[in-house]
Amino acid sequence: RIKASGLKLRFCTNETQATREKFVKKLQGMGFDISVAEVTAPAPAACRILKERSLRPHLLVHNDLVPEFAEIDKANPNCVVIGDAAENFTYANLNEAFRVLIGMEKPVLISLGRGRYYKETDGLKLDVGAYMKALEYACDVQAEVVGKPAEKFFESALAEMGVPPQQAIMIGDDIVNDVGGAQRCGMRALQVRTGKYRPCDENHPHVKPDAYVDNLAEAVDVILQQL
């Protein structure tokens, strides 16, 4: 319905457990009309940074995400890239990443997001931000976040569409990473009461969505009514 209206659209995801191709295939299976070119994701953005700065990463990511880094030199690492590694977040793997960082004169830690938790069918799960904070604390380093809520992430999606932030609306279930991140860029933002949404979000001390909607379909209704 959004595409039929002529509005431009981007799917901005912090998905770091799969390649964009796999992510798109999953959504297509749910009936979404979506292509890889319409997805703004952290891993490709991180690869651009790695190439620009001649960085060679030690990867602490999900196995299914590794193909996104196929063209990146990973020999003799001089930085650590961390994503939502799920079962790969073992003590041994975290300690290996710690040793890479602590052995550097100026540690470089790149995180594919900083979410605290997310929701799957079996409940809430710890997200990459919790493990990122552990490495920050242990190595006395500030992570460079690639993905929501980083302003550059939203700005890249806006640039791809050729749309100024004042003319864009973000729809998301995360009060901080979706709503707060978009609003800091000058965008408006709707929070859906689905996914990881919790009622306490509506009392957040710093972030107030422009509106709440009960689901994605209602968000589309609200947007199309403004045309």
Side-chain angles (χ1 to χ4, degrees), residues 178-223:
D178 294 334
V179 176
Q183 289 178 335
R184 280 198 301 275
C185 290
M187 300 167 63
R188 287 171 290 173
L190 305 179
Q191 186 176 16
V192 289
R193 293 188 176 103
T194 57
K196 67 187 294 183
Y197 161 85
R198 295 191 297 165
C200 63
D201 290 347
E202 302 197 23
N203 298 315
H204 195 280
H206 308 300
V207 183
K208 304 294 180 187
D210 292 271
Y212 291 95
V213 289
D214 288 334
N215 51 55
L216 189 57
E218 185 180 337
V220 174
D221 290 336
V222 170
I223 291 169

Side-chain angles (χ1 to χ4, degrees), residues 81-97:
V81 172
I82 183 173
D84 181 15
E87 282 72 21
N88 282 346
F89 277 137
T90 63
Y91 175 79
N93 288 345
L94 278 165
N95 201 51
E96 187 178 1

